[in-house]
Amino acid sequence: MTSEVVQKATLAKRAASIMNTVTTDQKNAALLTIADALIKHTADIIEANKLDLKNGEAAGTSRSLLDRLALDEARIEAIAQALREIADLPDPVGELLEQFDRPNGLHIEKSRVPLGVVGIIYEARPNVTVDAAGLCLKTSNCVVLRGGSAALESNRKIIEVLRQALESTALPADALQLIEDSDRASVNEMLKLNGLLDVIIPRGGSTLIRTVVENATVPVIETGAGICHTYIDASANVEMAASISLNAKAQRPSVCNSMETLLVHEAFASESLLSIAEQFTAAKVELRGCERVMKLIPHAKQATNEDYATEYNDYILNVKIVDNLDEAIAHISNYGTQHSECIVTEDAGNAARFMQEIDAAAVYHNASTRFTDGFEFGFGAEIGISTQKLHARGPMGLPALTSTKYRITGSGQIRG
């Protein structure tokens, strides 16, 4: 018997030929249609989401992960709005990237084309279901989604709504597929679907990403875990440093661009770290620090090397005092995941060094790492944040879901 994974990937592969023929106007109309459908069925989606939340609470899921899972009217409206913004964005498919003539008379054009069938494996964030659908449809791709079991009821209802809405458009409903089998075997099967899936994109924690990268035979675009840092330099403005670091950690700690470790220059720490620590404590953030931090902040717990290597996605923050910029850069190079890093400083030279020497997809000067996001970058939404260096890096919007094709026109040339 053919598995659900193979059946749905096959349907998506067949739909890819239709997606290759749809126009930008047809895709935009479909995106607006499914956005309206989400709003129309908000109550149904929230009801399904309540089942997931109930199951999550019973299973002892952390509050930060429950926050990632939860949907309400405002969040569904924001998800629908993201689809409308994707519809407003330029369509990269068919874009002519370059053209040139060879001495033998061949005319060569290079243009953008869809990747084909995109497999996305992700965890408890039902908004990813819609973002991925919208971005893939806009770029004429089909998508096979495999969400985490924690969001299964939400994802089922969302895909049901989207597929029904697509029936009234020029786009095939089979361009959207959801794998409902929550067994880990379904993930392993997706990783080997060469010939049906053209690429796999994992979105989630380090364990999921490592599993996909190490076991897939289908090409992978690696979206990385986010062990992100903020370094407060000696010359930093105190109010700015407090505002940026608090936002980077506590505004929404469950996401990959939130800060996990705060590095503080010793000169700044001696004068101002305690006041900043009090703001974190008021925000219910647990502080873990090095020995120097513990002398300044008595209620801080001891931070270990394992802590520095952990993506908490929770109200926990490591704090470390460093002697200088060199030590801060060395720490980030050792523990960072090449996601998002920030320096808060009024020293232009130190800012330039940090921006140049830190190897990450996004490097900030005097701004929160929480801005590493497709919506904040003006991409409408994102398929993920890539921390690798091939094909795409950073927030991946529409162009990252395309490949290229060369079209060569001749007049009878043959190679001698």
Coordinates of all heavy atoms in Angstrom, one line a residue, residues 64-65 67-68 75 125 127 203 224-228 247-249 251-260 311-314 339 369-370 372-373 382 385:
S64 N 5.9 29.2 26.6 CA 6.5 29.9 25.4 C 6.1 29.1 24.1 O 5.7 29.7 23.1 CB 8.0 30.0 25.4 OG 8.6 28.7 25.5
L65 N 6.1 27.8 24.2 CA 5.6 27.0 23.0 C 4.1 27.1 22.8 O 3.7 27.0 21.7 CB 6.1 25.5 23.2 CG 7.6 25.3 23.1 CD1 7.9 23.8 23.3 CD2 8.1 25.8 21.8
D67 N 2.5 29.7 23.4 CA 2.3 31.0 22.7 C 2.5 30.9 21.2 O 1.8 31.5 20.4 CB 3.3 32.0 23.3 CG 3.3 33.3 22.6 OD1 2.2 34.0 22.6 OD2 4.3 33.7 22.0
R68 N 3.5 30.1 20.8 CA 3.8 29.9 19.4 C 2.6 29.2 18.7 O 2.4 29.4 17.5 CB 5.1 29.1 19.2 CG 6.3 29.7 19.8 CD 7.5 28.8 19.6 NE 8.1 28.9 18.3 CZ 9.3 28.5 18.0 NH1 10.1 28.0 18.9 NH2 9.8 28.7 16.7
R75 N -4.4 37.3 15.5 CA -3.3 36.5 14.8 C -3.7 36.0 13.4 O -3.0 36.0 12.4 CB -2.8 35.4 15.6 CG -1.9 35.9 16.8 CD -1.2 34.7 17.5 NE -0.3 35.2 18.5 CZ 0.5 34.5 19.3 NH1 0.5 33.2 19.1 NH2 1.3 35.0 20.2
R125 N 3.9 25.9 15.0 CA 3.6 27.2 14.6 C 2.6 27.2 13.4 O 3.1 27.2 12.3 CB 4.8 28.1 14.3 CG 5.7 28.4 15.5 CD 6.9 29.2 15.2 NE 6.5 30.6 14.8 CZ 7.3 31.5 14.3 NH1 8.6 31.2 14.2 NH2 6.9 32.7 14.0
N127 N 1.0 29.4 12.0 CA 1.1 30.5 11.0 C 2.1 30.1 9.9 O 2.0 30.6 8.7 CB 1.6 31.8 11.7 CG 3.0 31.6 12.2 OD1 3.2 30.8 13.1 ND2 4.0 32.4 11.7
R203 N 12.0 23.8 9.5 CA 11.8 25.0 10.4 C 11.5 24.5 11.8 O 10.5 23.8 12.0 CB 10.7 25.9 9.9 CG 11.0 26.7 8.7 CD 10.0 27.8 8.4 NE 9.9 28.7 9.5 CZ 9.2 29.9 9.4 NH1 8.5 30.2 8.3 NH2 9.1 30.7 10.4
G224 N 18.5 27.8 10.4 CA 19.2 27.5 11.6 C 18.5 27.8 12.9 O 17.6 28.7 13.0
A225 N 19.0 27.1 13.9 CA 18.6 27.5 15.3 C 19.2 28.9 15.6 O 20.1 29.3 15.0 CB 19.1 26.5 16.3
G226 N 18.5 29.5 16.5 CA 18.9 30.9 16.8 C 19.5 31.1 18.2 O 18.8 31.4 19.2
I227 N 20.8 30.9 18.4 CA 21.5 31.3 19.6 C 22.0 32.7 19.3 O 23.2 32.8 18.8 CB 22.6 30.3 20.0 CG1 22.0 28.9 20.3 CG2 23.3 30.8 21.3 CD1 23.0 27.9 20.7
C228 N 21.2 33.7 19.6 CA 21.5 35.1 19.2 C 22.1 35.8 20.4 O 21.7 35.6 21.6 CB 20.3 35.8 18.7 SG 19.5 34.9 17.3
N247 N 13.9 44.1 24.6 CA 13.1 43.7 23.4 C 13.6 42.4 22.8 O 12.8 41.5 22.4 CB 13.1 44.8 22.4 CG 12.3 44.5 21.1 OD1 12.8 44.0 20.1 ND2 11.0 44.7 21.2
A248 N 14.9 42.3 22.7 CA 15.5 41.1 22.0 C 15.2 39.8 22.8 O 15.0 38.8 22.2 CB 17.0 41.3 21.8
K249 N 15.0 39.9 24.1 CA 14.7 38.7 24.9 C 13.3 38.5 25.2 O 12.7 37.4 25.0 CB 15.5 38.8 26.2 CG 15.2 37.6 27.2 CD 15.9 36.3 26.8 CE 15.0 35.3 26.1 NZ 15.7 34.0 25.9
Q251 N 10.3 40.4 24.3 CA 9.2 40.7 23.4 C 8.4 39.5 22.9 O 7.2 39.4 22.9 CB 9.6 41.6 22.3 CG 8.5 42.3 21.5 CD 8.1 41.6 20.3 OE1 8.8 40.8 19.7 NE2 6.9 42.0 19.7
R252 N 9.2 38.5 22.5 CA 8.6 37.2 22.2 C 9.8 36.1 22.2 O 10.4 35.9 21.2 CB 8.0 37.2 20.8 CG 7.0 36.0 20.6 CD 6.3 36.1 19.3 NE 5.4 34.9 19.2 CZ 4.7 34.6 18.1 NH1 4.8 35.4 17.0 NH2 3.9 33.5 18.1
P253 N 10.0 35.6 23.4 CA 11.2 34.7 23.5 C 11.1 33.4 22.8 O 12.1 32.7 22.7 CB 11.3 34.5 25.1 CG 9.9 34.7 25.5 CD 9.3 35.8 24.6
S254 N 9.9 33.0 22.3 CA 9.8 31.7 21.7 C 10.3 31.6 20.3 O 10.3 30.5 19.7 CB 8.3 31.3 21.8 OG 7.5 32.2 21.0
V255 N 10.7 32.7 19.7 CA 11.1 32.7 18.3 C 12.6 32.7 18.1 O 13.4 33.0 19.0 CB 10.5 33.9 17.6 CG1 9.0 33.8 17.5 CG2 10.9 35.2 18.3
C256 N 13.1 32.3 16.9 CA 14.5 32.0 16.7 C 15.4 33.3 16.7 O 16.6 33.2 16.8 CB 14.7 31.3 15.4 SG 14.2 32.1 13.9
N257 N 14.8 34.5 16.5 CA 15.6 35.7 16.5 C 15.6 36.4 17.9 O 16.1 37.5 18.0 CB 15.1 36.7 15.4 CG 13.6 37.0 15.5 OD1 13.1 36.9 16.6 ND2 13.0 37.5 14.4
S258 N 15.1 35.7 18.9 CA 15.2 36.3 20.2 C 16.6 36.1 20.8 O 17.3 35.1 20.4 CB 14.2 35.7 21.2 OG 14.4 34.3 21.3
M259 N 17.1 36.9 21.7 CA 18.4 36.8 22.3 C 18.4 35.8 23.3 O 17.5 35.6 24.2 CB 18.8 38.2 22.9 CG 20.0 38.2 23.7 SD 20.4 39.8 24.4 CE 19.0 40.1 25.5
E260 N 19.5 35.0 23.3 CA 19.8 34.0 24.4 C 20.9 34.4 25.3 O 20.9 33.9 26.5 CB 20.0 32.6 23.7 CG 19.0 32.1 22.8 CD 17.6 31.8 23.4 OE1 17.4 32.2 24.6 OE2 16.8 31.3 22.7
E311 N 19.6 27.1 22.9 CA 18.5 28.0 22.5 C 17.3 27.7 23.3 O 16.6 26.7 23.2 CB 18.2 27.7 21.0 CG 17.1 28.6 20.4 CD 16.7 28.3 19.0 OE1 17.0 27.2 18.5 OE2 16.1 29.2 18.4
Y312 N 17.1 28.6 24.3 CA 16.0 28.4 25.3 C 14.6 28.5 24.7 O 13.7 27.8 25.1 CB 16.2 29.4 26.4 CG 17.4 29.3 27.2 CD1 18.4 30.3 27.3 CD2 17.7 28.1 28.0 CE1 19.5 30.2 28.1 CE2 18.8 28.0 28.8 CZ 19.7 29.0 28.8 OH 20.9 28.9 29.6
N313 N 14.4 29.5 23.8 CA 13.0 29.9 23.4 C 12.1 30.1 24.6 O 11.0 29.6 24.6 CB 12.5 28.8 22.5 CG 13.2 28.7 21.1 OD1 13.6 27.6 20.7 ND2 13.5 29.9 20.5
D314 N 12.6 30.7 25.6 CA 11.9 30.8 26.9 C 12.4 32.0 27.6 O 13.3 32.7 27.2 CB 12.1 29.6 27.7 CG 10.9 29.3 28.7 OD1 10.1 30.3 28.9 OD2 10.8 28.2 29.2
H339 N 23.1 33.2 13.1 CA 21.7 33.7 12.8 C 21.6 35.2 12.9 O 21.7 35.9 11.8 CB 20.8 33.1 13.9 CG 19.3 33.2 13.6 ND1 18.7 34.5 13.5 CD2 18.3 32.3 13.3 CE1 17.4 34.3 13.2 NE2 17.2 33.0 13.1
T369 N 17.7 42.2 17.6 CA 17.7 41.1 16.7 C 16.3 40.6 16.3 O 16.2 39.8 15.3 CB 18.5 39.9 17.3 OG1 17.8 39.5 18.6 CG2 19.9 40.2 17.6
R370 N 15.3 41.1 16.9 CA 13.9 40.6 16.6 C 13.5 41.1 15.2 O 12.5 40.6 14.7 CB 13.0 41.2 17.7 CG 13.0 40.5 19.0 CD 12.4 39.1 18.9 NE 10.9 39.3 18.8 CZ 10.2 39.0 17.8 NH1 10.8 38.4 16.7 NH2 8.9 39.2 17.8
T372 N 15.0 40.3 12.5 CA 15.4 39.3 11.4 C 14.1 38.5 11.1 O 13.8 37.5 11.7 CB 16.5 38.4 11.9 OG1 17.6 39.2 12.3 CG2 16.9 37.5 10.8
D373 N 13.4 39.0 10.2 CA 12.1 38.5 9.9 C 11.7 39.0 8.5 O 11.9 40.1 8.1 CB 11.1 39.0 10.9 CG 9.6 38.6 10.7 OD1 9.3 37.5 11.1 OD2 8.9 39.4 10.0
E382 N 8.0 35.0 5.3 CA 9.2 34.3 5.0 C 9.0 32.8 5.0 O 8.1 32.3 5.7 CB 10.3 34.7 6.0 CG 10.0 34.1 7.4 CD 10.9 34.5 8.5 OE1 11.5 35.6 8.4 OE2 11.1 33.7 9.4
I385 N 14.5 31.4 8.0 CA 15.7 32.2 8.0 C 16.9 31.2 7.9 O 17.2 30.4 8.7 CB 15.8 32.9 9.4 CG1 14.6 33.9 9.5 CG2 17.1 33.7 9.5 CD1 14.4 34.6 10.8

